[in-house]
Each structure stands twice: as C-alpha cells, then as structure tokens.
Amino acid sequence: TPKDPFYWCFDFKAHQLSHEPKYDRIKDYLALFSDANPESHQIVAEGSTRYLCSRVAAREIIAHQPDARFVAFVRNPVDLVQSYHMEQVYSLYESETDFETAWRREMKSADPTDPKTIFKRYGRIANLGSQIEIVQSVVGKDSLHVVIYDDLRESILDVYTGILEFLDLPSDGRTEFPVLNASHGHRFKWLAKMVLDPPDLLAPAVRRLRIFLSSNRFSAIETIKKKLNRPKERSEISESLRRELRDYFRPEVQKLGQLIGRDFSHWLS
C-alpha cells in the first residue's frame, strides 16, 4: 500500500515539502499500483495523512473513482497536535522543537494566507469535526468508516475486523499487530538533513530516489531506515496548556461526536 503520495490534495500541491515525492501526473500516481493483480487483490488502497485536512481531496477522489471508500483515523486533538508537531520537527519542516512555543506562535502570528506556514497551522490540522463533515458531505456516511484511536488501544483486532467488514473483505486470520512507526527521532541529524532537505543541486536526484523507493519496498532499505531512527518520547505539556487546548478544540470535538454518534466528553475533561 503506497504511503503518503498526497496526489489528490491539490490544494496543498504548491506547498509540498522539497523532499517529498511529487506525482504531478495521474499516470505517475497510478503507476504506484501497477503490481496490483485483479485475480489476487480485491481492492487497491493508499494512505495519505493530508487527505482528511484537505478541502478538495475527497471530491477529487470521488470524481475519479465514484465507488471509492474511505477510512479515516482520528484521535483526541490535544494528543494529535502534539504528535503532529513532533512529526513536523522530524521532517525538518518545523524548526521550533518546543510544542508550546510553536502553538503560541500560531495563535499570535500565523498568517492563513502564507504558504510557508500551511503545514504548521496546528489548530487547523486537528479540526476533526469540520474535516469529517466535509468528507461526509462529499462521499456520504456509507462510504466513510471512522476509526477512533481509543478503540485501537482497547481492541485492535475488533478495529481491524471492522475495517475488513467495511471493505467487504474476508478475514485473513491475523491476530498479531506489531507496533509500527512509534514515536521517533533522527539518530544522525546531518544525514537526515541531507535526505530531507538536500542541497538544490542534489534535490531532483534525491526526489527521484524517494519516488522509486516508495514504489518498491526493499527489506534491506526498510531495515536501514529503522536503524537510522531512534525512539523518542513525546514531551509532557503543562496542565494549563492542556486545558487551553481542550477549550480550543471543544467545538470540533462536539461536532465530531454528533457526526459519528460517539461521546467524546472524556477528551474534554
């Protein structure tokens, strides 16, 4: 399953990070699925983390594939914005390593028209109620399956079974689900910068290499990538900031609960 091709979020195309693979043509995007065999693959899928916060991705996907189905993963926005900030720091897009400082900067000075800050608008990134509302309005409730992170922690097998049922897929009997992509940081920052923010002269070659590797998963490369990361725990935030975040996201949490019929009051207490 291709990870983060970001093809359908056309509202973000002009602002993609320099190191990210860019699929500007539909044929290049569809080439990611060239190995799919109708005799052995009942569905084809990809996972792009920006589609949910895009205002156009769902509409563009449905225009291309009217019977497409969508699985969205959501979590407590207070936790989401911290995790997202940590990932932006990892990607070298965010230079401020302290989440509270980055949050305060957005609240005071973020310019919603500045393309340089589009992926650092932490408030917008976690407006889950509005995001789900947009997708539902485009694809309908029957074509959208929302997974709650809390449920994953309670019973990942039940969540997995629910997704299979939504996609009309038979069970493969899987019962073990190892943790992937746990919180991490760079082991060698100089090497990370070379890969994620290469000099202009090397940038085109690095981008082509990343596109090739995203289309061809080599076990040796995946092992090397894991070795280049190190575990990193998320820093705790103050209780006052936690209360501020709860109040900020309260309307969105309430909207999300109404849209999918769940009670998220524990996220706000």
Side-chain angles (χ1 to χ4, degrees), residues 226-242:
K226 291 178 181 177
K227 295 290 186 182
L228 293 177
N229 287 335
R230 60 179 177 82
K232 184 177 182 181
E233 295 295 326
R234 191 175 69 201
S235 300
E236 290 294 325
I237 62 173
S238 66
E239 188 55 38
S240 61
L241 177 58
R242 187 173 295 278

Side-chain angles (χ1 to χ4, degrees), residues 36-140:
N37 183 346
E39 295 183 2
S40 57
H41 298 102
Q42 298 180 47
I43 65 168
V44 291
E46 60 116 314
S48 290
T49 51
R50 291 182 192 147
Y51 287 166
L52 188 56
C53 59
S54 167
R55 292 188 170 93
V56 305
R59 183 179 71 234
E60 296 291 342
I61 293 170
I62 287 295
H64 177 78
Q65 190 75 31
D67 61 346
R69 281 181 269 188
F70 299 76
V71 178
F73 288 77
V74 300
R75 66 188 297 189
N76 186 333
V78 175
D79 298 326
L80 172 58
V81 287
Q82 297 174 72
S83 178
Y84 178 79
H85 167 262
M86 190 172 178
E87 189 62 27
Q88 293 304 98
V89 171
Y90 175 83
S91 298
L92 304 186
Y93 188 72
E94 172 63 83
S95 59
E96 177 52 65
T97 58
D98 179 67
F99 169 70
E100 182 167 1
T101 303
W103 174 262
R104 300 268 177 245
R105 179 196 63 211
E106 182 195 0
M107 293 299 101
K108 290 180 180 179
S109 60
D111 180 359
T113 65
D114 183 359
K116 295 180 180 179
T117 68
I118 194 167
F119 299 129
K120 293 189 280 188
R121 298 172 196 164
Y122 299 107
R124 174 186 169 182
I125 289 296
N127 281 343
L128 300 175
S130 296
Q131 293 169 11
I132 292 296
E133 185 176 44
I134 290 173
V135 178
Q136 277 191 355
S137 69
V138 173
V139 311

